Amino acid sequence: MSSSQVNSRGISRAVSFKDRAVSDLRIIDHEECESEKYPSSSADYVKKGRKGINKKNYQSGVSMFESGFLTSEARDVAKDEAMYWGATEDDEFVTPWYTYAVRILIFPTLSIILFYIMWRISEFSLSGVWWYDLCACAFIASESFCMIFLTAQWVWMWNLKFRKKVTLRDLNLSDEDLPTIDIMIPCYTEPTELVQMTLNACYDMDYPSDKLTVYICDDGHSEEMRKMVCETKRYSDGITTRYIARNKIPGVPHHAKAGNLNNCILDEGSTGQLIIVLDCDMMPEPCFGRTVVPFFYKKDESLASQDMKKPKGIFDDEMGLVQTPQAFYNLDTNDLLGQSYSYFYECVISGWDGSGCTPCCGTGVTFSRKAMEKIGGFSTGSITEDFKTSMVMRANGFKCKYFLQYMTRGVSPKELNAFMTQRLRWCVGAIQILKGENPLFVKGLPFRVRWLYFFSTIGMIYVIPIMIMLSVMYGTIIAGVPISFGPSSFILYLAYGGSSMVLIMLIQFLISFRLSFSNFLRILQDSFTVSFLFLRAMLIGF
């Protein structure tokens, strides 16, 4: 069988999956990743054709999706923000003007919130009926708690910055200097077509073939998956591919995805200096490797010489991970459930990065092997093992960075039930981390980083005071009892309380200034979704 026949068969299987999963696919050309030698977009890459088999597909009219390619918008965000008035920059980051505006607003907002809370308490008077007063006190306490709790996220807002791009050219690194990379794709019972598309995208990565190894970590022990890997890897153009299916001993905890990856990292002879983890549906851009590798290096002035224009970069042993955002190619244009997570990837993690830490999102992330081996691989004890692993890595002194360039695209849940199940899993994982390894008591974390991790694990707890307030309000209406939990002056209530909420919303709007207004509205929608899921998560997690 010829290579073209085999590739055509793979394409037909990919197309069948596309017909089922993709509703709206938009291809966006963008600037080249680093130079003319290293094209950044899938379109440029296929046209220049590092591998002839994909060049033939392009010339024969096969779409980029059918060839295993997807293009994501890849702009230099830090460079864009630096162009606006009021932005400042240092060696690593660009701080936009709206971060400074938020810092200015934080002080009057906090003052008004505290004044409002004290005013609410001073205005309350007891009725003499104990359970009336109990309900009223519960309402006022919950209202005050919600107001104060909203200020907890100001820590990352204060530090919202965007990391500058670093290239191999900046570090004077050639192909011979590049580190070896192991790409690990964990899977369980997913369709083989889905995994094959990701595998093909890995083969098309613009990186030296002899320094790239792809591992399919199959926890489902699928014979069909094994055959697909054996068939596909014959056309990998020299990239080593291994199929791994670990042995699970009955009665011994397997730790799901964390255990699957740990088996490959620690017990299957994996030796790459860097480890890229991709969910089985997450197809990487061709320039993924060359984009993230420079962040694991640092400049060494001692290596500079007269015949070198720039000092040569050396591997930074203090680096732990580099996280990149993820995008989804099967989302509807309206994205009613807010699954693009624009606010999280464009704003929140950048604020974390500016604060000195970056949470691992489980895919599109690159680890240093040295760091992973020191902490014993992925952390267990929580179904959100990725988030916990980044916390442990930071506590061990390793640097965790975030670079805002969309390097992967995958599939998001299409059904509401699947979406809710995914969110519930995240909530349960957060509670498990709080129970097993409370960030407040993890040694080695700076205070600011400690607070960010702690707030993330309890961040959904504000659903409890919200439910108390709703219960009191509607309970009094249904029961028809004259419980008064409002202030004596409704006008002052609107003036003080309204001013607080307006300033809070203004801060929220400024911090998400780079997003569209529709994405800003999705932030509010997402808060309510997560809140009610937390009630179910508490029952499961505790």
Side-chain angles (χ1 to χ4, degrees), residues 372-391:
M372 289 298 286
E373 290 180 346
K374 182 175 180 179
I375 67 173
F378 278 88
S379 300
T380 57
S382 170
I383 56 178
T384 50
E385 72 292 323
D386 42 17
F387 183 84
K388 186 178 180 181
T389 298
S390 63
M391 181 180 70

Side-chain angles (χ1 to χ4, degrees), residues 83-102:
M83 297 173 60
Y84 291 100
W85 176 88
T88 61
E89 55 183 302
D90 53 31
D91 292 339
E92 291 187 279
F93 295 98
V94 170
T95 305
W97 67 268
Y98 43 85
T99 296
Y100 293 107
V102 167

Side-chain angles (χ1 to χ4, degrees), residues 27 31 45 75 166 184 281 350 368 395 397 481 483 486 489 493:
I27 305 300
E31 296 178 352
Y45 179 73
R75 62 198 184 280
V166 183
M184 298 186 180
D281 63 305
S350 293
S368 164
V481 293
I483 298 178
S489 173
Y493 180 73

